[in-house]
Amino acid sequence: MDFINSSPDPFHCVHTSTQALEAAGFTEWTQDDLVPGGKYYFTRNKSTLVAFAIGKNFAPGNGFKIIGSHTDSPNLKVKPYSKRTTDKNGGVSGAIQIGVECYGGGLWHTWFDRDLGISGRVFINDEEEGKIRQELVKINQAILRIPNLAIHLQTAKEREAFTVNKEDHLSPILATAVKESLTTGDSDSDTKENSNNNDDEWLKNQEPLLVQMLSSELKVNSKDIVDFELNLFDVQEASLGGVRSEFVHSSRLDNLASCFLSLRGLIDHVTNDGLENDNDISMIAMFDHEEVGSNSATGAGSPIVGEAVKRISHALNTGGCPMLYDSTIQKSFVLSVDQAHAVHPNYASKHEKSHGPKMNGGMVIKRNSNQRYATNGLTGLIVREIAKKAGLPPVQEFVVRNDCACGSTIGPIISSATGIRAIDMGCPQLSMHSIRETMGTKDFQNGLSLFRAYFKHFSSIDERIEG
């Protein structure tokens, strides 16, 4: 749960992950010098991460065992111009708000009446160094709130519908416009300083209290803040639930649970001497922008994985035979891991009656004959055989009802771009895309055990199955 609590946005997720990798002996990959037994990682935009470990018995033409996940979750992002309240007295309500933009397909009604903090990255103009540097920020306090409208002010029709206008109803309150409500007189003077130095068009359109808060948190002058990428998050930390503590209630389980399990699986593989007899390369890839389609320079639709496989293969292929790269692609495999839909006890009819995954019941293979998921008969069989060989619970199966639309994730995107076989799977959960989601505690262990077994047994299983 510490991993989730420390990762309120993709930038913090990647930062937390690189810290864990470096503690396990991984080094940042900046050149093409690679050696069998080596452990490396690289990042893109500080929001996407690729890490890999080379088996000591690796030979050119051998494959990659890849686990893919994504670092982003639906949330409210601060707009490029954060100032929403133009009246210095806060208008009719006397409240100062900031402008936010909906990212992804969130259950936005769940964001009402929650204690919200701000996190992300801030760009700071360092005049002494002559550079613009990036700093991560995480303000883990209830500084923002989106209040519900009192029931007494709603018509019966409005109460029944509870329709959320994403532009008008989701703007959070930052403060009141009453000067006396601020904590100290210094705050007001800092805000005035900001106003007096706002020749920059960008700074003119920022909420002064927000800029002041960021400058205070980062211990820099307001005028040195030149841009930011910020999102809101629920400051309530992950917790155990249920009478037997068998559930995890948390924000961003989709898909930080998968990021954590893949990271832990790779680290465990290398620290438990998994590279000693490994003929392949074990890799994890955590992408940004899955929730908005993956079509970005840091999403699964980018060349990141394909180029990494090619670059690593060429660096280790001293003979330079191009046919060996084709062999590598044919021997490689991707576990595309994204959370799956567990059967909701109050809405069980929403599931296909023979394919209803249960929480704490094991990992879920996701299938769709229309290729919304990358799973086919061969890739599904490989994963079931890995679970069987490792003595794990049988994997569960999920397909949508014929009268229900099917979602998608990164598996088909990676597979179609690289030619690498793939499967889509994940841990079962409830309340997907809510600000608070739920999954089973046992499924953390189920997932981790399967990922360890995947890195250990994939090659031997794959060799047994006719392609």
Side-chain angles (χ1 to χ4, degrees):
M1 291 192 290
D2 289 341
F3 180 89
I4 295 174
N5 294 335
S6 63
S7 305
D9 56 70
F11 307 115
H12 280 86
C13 176
V14 168
H15 177 69
T16 301
S17 300
T18 56
Q19 286 183 315
L21 289 167
E22 288 176 356
F26 284 73
T27 58
E28 187 168 8
W29 186 36
T30 56
Q31 299 178 349
D32 285 341
D33 295 332
L34 299 172
V35 295
K39 302 173 292 234
Y40 310 91
Y41 76 88
F42 66 90
T43 66
R44 293 289 182 266
N45 190 48
K46 299 186 183 296
S47 63
T48 290
L49 166 72
V50 174
F52 59 97
I54 305 169
K56 291 188 175 181
N57 294 335
F58 178 82
N62 288 1
F64 285 68
K65 301 169 290 188
I66 305 170
I67 302 178
S69 58
H70 64 88
T71 60
D72 62 321
S73 301
N75 70 87
L76 298 175
K77 292 187 177 293
V78 177
K79 288 183 176 179
Y81 289 166
S82 61
K83 185 187 292 184
R84 182 174 175 85
T85 308
T86 56
D87 185 341
K88 66 178 182 179
N89 295 316
V92 176
S93 68
I96 296 176
Q97 297 174 281
I98 60 172
V100 294
E101 182 180 11
C102 295
Y103 175 87
L107 292 175
W108 303 119
H109 65 275
T110 65
W111 285 71
F112 285 78
D113 297 329
R114 302 297 301 184
D115 295 338
L116 304 175
I118 278 185
S119 72
R121 65 175 172 181
V122 179
F123 294 89
I124 299 166
N125 183 24
D126 190 332
E127 293 184 351
E128 290 186 8
E129 294 292 329
K131 295 182 178 179
I132 295 176
R133 70 176 192 273
Q134 300 182 35
E135 294 282 352
L136 296 187
V137 64
K138 178 188 176 189
I139 302 177
N140 197 29
Q141 302 173 32
I143 57 174
L144 293 163
R145 195 172 183 87
I146 306 168
N148 258 305
L149 181 64
I151 191 172
H152 316 84
L153 301 179
Q154 301 179 53
T155 65
K157 187 176 181 180
E158 287 173 332
R159 290 196 297 270
E160 182 179 351
F162 191 60
T163 302
V164 177
N165 183 299
K166 293 186 285 188
E167 179 65 24
D168 296 336
H169 299 159
L170 287 174
S171 296
I173 295 173
L174 178 65
T176 63
V178 181
K179 183 171 66 174
E180 286 76 14
S181 69
L182 299 178
T183 55
T184 67
D186 292 338
S187 299
D188 189 47
S189 62
D190 287 345
T191 304
K192 289 179 180 178
E193 179 187 349
N194 180 38
S195 299
N196 293 332
N197 290 281
N198 63 357
D199 293 335
D200 182 89
E201 185 66 22
W202 180 85
L203 199 56
K204 287 180 183 178
N205 290 283
Q206 303 308 324
E207 171 51 52
L209 285 176
L210 174 62
V211 176
Q212 168 209 319
M213 180 177 58
L214 294 173
S215 66
S216 176
E217 185 74 16
L218 298 172
K219 296 179 174 54
V220 298
N221 291 325
S222 297
K223 62 182 178 60
D224 292 332
I225 296 176
V226 294
D227 212 333
F228 51 60
E229 291 180 67
L230 302 172
N231 62 240
L232 280 55
F233 69 96
D234 188 350
V235 300
Q236 183 179 353
E237 294 189 339
S239 62
L240 296 177
V243 69
R244 292 189 291 265
S245 297
E246 57 192 309
F247 304 116
V248 175
H249 305 312
S250 176
S251 300
R252 306 177 301 281
L253 289 174
D254 174 23
N255 192 32
L256 291 185
S258 300
C259 290
F260 169 75
L261 292 174
S262 64
L263 174 70
R264 192 72 256 166
L266 179 63
I267 290 175
D268 288 353
H269 180 63
V270 301
T271 55
N272 294 331
D273 297 326
L275 300 182
E276 292 297 324
N277 299 307
D278 198 339
N279 299 323
D280 300 312
I281 294 174
S282 302
M283 173 183 284
I284 61 171
M286 303 180 187
F287 299 98
D288 199 357
H289 298 144
E290 188 276 343
E291 297 293 356
V292 292
S294 297
N295 292 318
S296 73
T298 53
S302 72
I304 288 176
V305 163
E307 288 182 353
V309 170
K310 183 176 291 185
R311 184 178 164 196
I312 294 166
S313 298
H314 288 174
L316 293 169
N317 181 10
T318 55
C321 177
M323 295 300 294
L324 291 176
Y325 176 71
D326 296 336
S327 174
T328 291
I329 294 297
Q330 296 304 312
K331 292 180 181 179
S332 297
F333 196 89
V334 176
L335 290 185
S336 163
V337 187
D338 202 353
Q339 296 289 88
H341 297 291
V343 174
H344 194 305
N346 298 337
Y347 301 91
S349 62
K350 292 292 185 179
H351 274 73
E352 204 280 334
K353 63 181 180 180
S354 299
H355 298 82
K358 299 176 178 61
M359 287 189 294
N360 289 319
M363 295 288 285
V364 180
I365 294 177
K366 299 187 279 190
R367 299 179 189 262
N368 181 264
S369 61
N370 296 302
Q371 298 302 297
R372 298 291 288 170
Y373 297 130
T375 310
N376 60 28
L378 175 62
T379 60
L381 174 61
I382 288 173
V383 169
R384 293 206 316 273
E385 288 296 307
I386 290 172
K388 185 186 301 182
K389 183 165 185 175
L392 302 177
V395 291
Q396 305 183 84
E397 296 275 356
F398 171 79
V399 296
V400 298
R401 290 168 52 100
N402 286 319
D403 57 359
C404 181
C406 182
S408 188
T409 184
I410 63 176
I413 296 172
I414 297 174
S415 190
S416 61
T418 63
I420 298 175
R421 297 168 293 169
I423 184 173
D424 280 301
M425 61 187 310
C427 296
Q429 72 160 75
L430 297 176
S431 305
M432 191 176 292
H433 290 194
S434 171
I435 198 169
R436 296 286 289 183
E437 301 171 326
T438 296
M439 66 176 287
T441 54
K442 192 178 294 184
D443 288 323
F444 273 99
Q445 186 58 53
N446 290 332
L448 181 57
S449 296
L450 182 63
F451 294 169
R452 290 169 175 164
Y454 168 63
F455 286 133
K456 182 177 181 180
H457 298 304
F458 166 75
S459 295
S460 61
I461 297 294
D462 191 37
E463 289 171 356
R464 290 181 45 230
I465 301 175
E466 181 181 357

